[in-house]
Amino acid sequence: MHLCEIQLENFKSFARKHTLPFKKGFTGIVGPNGSGKSNIADAILFVIGPKSAKTIRATRLTDLIFNGAKQDRPASQCKVSLVFDNTDRTMPVDADRVSFTRIVRRAPTGSNPDNYYSHFYINGRSTSQAQFELLFAHARLSGDGYNLVQQGDVVSSVKSTDTERRRVLEDVAGVTHFDHDIERVNRKRAQVEENLDRLGVLTTELRSQVRALEKGKEKAERYIALRDDLQR
Ligand code: ATP
Ligand code: MG
């Protein structure tokens, strides 16, 4: 499976419709500063990681809508489609090409400028964000993973401390979730140990009671035997 095409429509600096083909192998995009290279990475994140901790470089989702230029008026919605080659059926969709489209549309004027509508489509059919996540999970694609290395990620990883860098490696290796499991189990173990301590104290107390009762029982038995003797 590979990403073979990105279609952008009024997304950030991309006014109107643009199609970026990604041939098999390596595709590089070059351009002067501020020409929109990182906006393409933002477009990918916009589709694969709506809930990702990595942030699209925009304060509001509506900032992603093309906001006008000399010849072009501001748009009211932006649309990004990622088209994947699915001939190997990595994603459980019975199609050789699967397109994931996300649209963000400004809510009617007069309302809060932060308000927006968000729509999701798979191969042109309306769907949910959850369905996106499900299919991406099959392809092990995630906005939080390392499928997408953003500008500055490499520098920050070089500058990070050994512990932080190790955390990244452990994340990639999938070790982190074991750490969470270990933590959880250790908490449980501490709880069980505490219970054991409490039960130990209780047992000691009960044992001394048992000893006292045993002595009482011996005495009672002796009393019964002597009484029976006396009666006889
Ligand atoms: P660099 O080489 O410096 O990293 P870049 O090619 O990655 O640059 P981007 O950061 O992708 O450039 O693009 C920044 C440009 O996108 C800016 O000129 C900014 O004005 C423009 N831009 C961002 N949001 C919008 C928007 N909503 N509408 C129109 N243009 C936008
Ligand atoms: Mg950039």
Side-chain angles (χ1 to χ4, degrees):
M1 191 193 85
H2 81 276
L3 176 64
C4 43
E5 201 171 286
I6 303 179
Q7 296 158 1
L8 304 156
E9 196 176 325
N10 293 318
F11 184 83
K12 298 195 88 176
S13 54
F14 294 89
R16 299 183 301 268
K17 268 190 191 174
H18 299 268
T19 299
L20 307 171
F22 286 85
K23 299 274 159 56
K24 261 199 173 141
F26 186 86
T27 300
I29 296 170
V30 291
N33 294 136
S35 59
K37 302 182 297 292
S38 299
N39 290 345
I40 295 167
D42 286 341
I44 298 174
L45 193 57
F46 176 66
V47 178
I48 67 167
K51 279 198 274 181
S52 159
K54 277 187 210 167
T55 38
I56 295 185
R57 301 166 310 143
T59 27
R60 296 177 303 206
L61 217 45
T62 45
D63 290 343
L64 298 174
I65 302 169
F66 173 70
N67 62 14
K70 275 177 226 135
Q71 318 93 338
D72 294 291
R73 300 198 322 131
S76 58
Q77 69 166 40
C78 63
K79 175 175 170 183
V80 175
S81 301
L82 301 186
V83 183
F84 291 93
D85 179 310
N86 189 43
T87 40
D88 59 5
R89 294 295 184 270
T90 300
M91 282 190 273
V93 176
D94 194 23
D96 288 346
R97 275 161 72 93
V98 184
S99 80
F100 292 85
T101 303
R102 185 178 181 201
I103 294 180
V104 163
R105 188 154 47 88
R106 229 184 273 286
T109 44
S111 57
N112 188 336
D114 287 1
N115 288 352
Y116 62 86
Y117 301 116
S118 185
H119 302 281
F120 297 87
Y121 300 87
I122 292 172
N123 281 349
R125 212 175 284 157
S126 177
T127 183
S128 63
Q129 185 178 328
Q131 194 60 30
F132 264 38
E133 273 163 19
L134 193 78
L135 291 186
F136 288 148
H138 273 279
R140 294 169 34 90
L141 255 181
S142 135
D144 286 320
Y146 294 89
N147 304 120
L148 194 65
V149 179
Q150 289 176 293
Q151 187 164 352
D153 281 358
V154 172
V155 174
S156 80
S157 118
V158 169
K159 280 189 183 157
S160 64
T161 64
D162 291 349
T163 321
E164 282 165 347
R165 205 170 307 134
R166 182 178 159 164
R167 198 164 302 134
V168 172
L169 288 176
E170 286 179 347
D171 246 357
V172 174
V175 176
T176 328
H177 82 105
F178 290 118
D179 279 345
H180 293 313
D181 284 354
I182 291 172
E183 225 170 78
R184 194 165 38 83
V185 171
N186 270 340
R187 263 201 308 275
K188 224 182 207 167
R189 196 185 61 181
Q191 239 170 28
V192 170
E193 271 167 4
E194 206 177 285
N195 280 347
L196 270 179
D197 278 352
R198 214 168 323 134
L199 288 174
V201 172
L202 215 66
T203 315
T204 324
E205 216 168 276
L206 288 174
R207 274 215 183 100
S208 79
Q209 277 180 30
V210 168
R211 267 197 299 275
L213 288 171
E214 259 165 5
K215 266 184 205 144
K217 179 184 156 233
E218 270 164 31
K219 273 186 188 155
E221 278 171 353
R222 203 158 156 244
Y223 160 76
I224 291 168
L226 288 173
R227 189 196 56 191
D228 289 353
D229 270 358
L230 187 65
Q231 270 172 0
R232 222 176 294 130

